[in-house]
Amino acid sequence: MSTVDPQAPLVFDTRELGRRPGAQRKLQRSVPAPAGLGIDVLGVPEGSDLELALRLESVVEGVLASGTARVLLTGECVRCLEPLEQPFDVDFQELYVFPESEIEDDEASRLEGDLLDLEPVVRDTVVLALPYQPVCRDDCPGLCPQCGARLADDPEHQHEAAIDPRWAALATVVPDDQNDTDNEVAGSPRRPEVKE
């Protein structure tokens, strides 16, 4: 019993190739993107356009599917948390062996009758090719670690130097407005003047 739905958008019928090695067929197809095509911070919205440029080629062992998938990625920059949206192309290639093939590889993709399901291959290829830490631009400065301001909006952004909490108590001992031109330390006795 076949588990492949012939009406699914990423299922292709290879009957036209006729199991003649060397026969090929080129296809252009736009299909809705399946769910779960991404990672936590970046992915392809479910139902958005997934553009396929596909070549199906009959070989001795089965059908070789190769091509390019173009999608639109959406997510957020890991440095500044701004939303990002960018086109993304990924190349793929997979051999679908005939059901009666003697290839014993359990992980080999198999044709079901004359049908091949491209969804697992496209999913694996897109997800593995996604950048692990996407950024809105290569030189994104991120956020201010003190206040969270977006540094790209204000390149001159800065704060006063933070006082080390271990020394903060000393700030109360010496007032900021003290005039120390006579080199006196508050509370120290005045040295007697020496007359010559």
Side-chain angles (χ1 to χ4, degrees), residues 163-177:
I163 297 176
D164 188 327
R166 297 172 294 180
W167 300 102
L170 291 178
T172 61
V173 175
V174 180
D176 291 336
D177 60 348

Side-chain angles (χ1 to χ4, degrees), residues 5 8 16 29-30 32 36 45 63 65 72 80 93 100 107 128 130 135 137-138 142 145 158 183 187 194 196:
D5 177 6
E16 288 182 21
R29 187 180 287 186
S30 179
V63 175
L72 184 66
C80 68
Q93 188 172 64
E100 68 277 5
E107 295 184 11
L128 290 174
L130 291 176
V135 290
R137 61 178 210 238
D138 291 338
Q158 57 184 345
N183 294 324
V194 179
E196 297 183 10

Side-chain angles (χ1 to χ4, degrees), residues 144-147 149-151 154-162:
C144 172
Q146 289 183 329
C147 68
R150 187 169 182 257
L151 297 177
D154 183 10
E156 303 300 320
H157 181 83
Q158 57 184 345
H159 295 273
E160 290 183 17

Side-chain angles (χ1 to χ4, degrees), residues 37-168:
L37 205 59
I39 55 177
D40 290 342
V41 292
L42 189 68
V44 180
E46 182 179 358
S48 64
D49 288 340
L50 190 157
E51 305 287 339
L52 284 175
L54 180 65
R55 186 181 72 196
L56 301 176
E57 183 179 358
S58 181
V59 294
V60 173
E61 300 86 2
V63 175
L64 181 67
S66 54
T68 302
R70 170 170 272 214
V71 293
L72 184 66
L73 298 178
T74 61
E76 63 181 27
C77 174
V78 296
R79 292 185 192 160
C80 68
L81 305 180
E82 284 293 301
L84 60 87
E85 189 174 275
Q86 60 191 39
F88 187 67
D89 292 357
V90 64
D91 295 327
F92 60 87
Q93 188 172 64
E94 183 76 7
L95 175 63
Y96 290 81
V97 297
F98 293 126
E100 68 277 5
S101 171
E102 296 179 4
I103 293 177
E104 296 181 6
D105 185 358
D106 291 337
E107 295 184 11
S109 298
R110 293 194 176 267
L111 290 166
E112 292 202 19
D114 291 313
L115 300 176
L116 65 82
D117 185 4
L118 209 56
E119 183 174 334
V121 173
V122 169
R123 180 186 312 281
D124 291 348
T125 306
V126 169
V127 171
L128 290 174
L130 291 176
Y132 183 66
Q133 295 189 327
V135 290
C136 56
R137 61 178 210 238
D138 291 338
D139 61 345
C140 175
L143 302 175
C144 172
Q146 289 183 329
C147 68
R150 187 169 182 257
L151 297 177
D153 295 336
D154 183 10
E156 303 300 320
H157 181 83
Q158 57 184 345
H159 295 273
E160 290 183 17
I163 297 176
D164 188 327
R166 297 172 294 180
W167 300 102

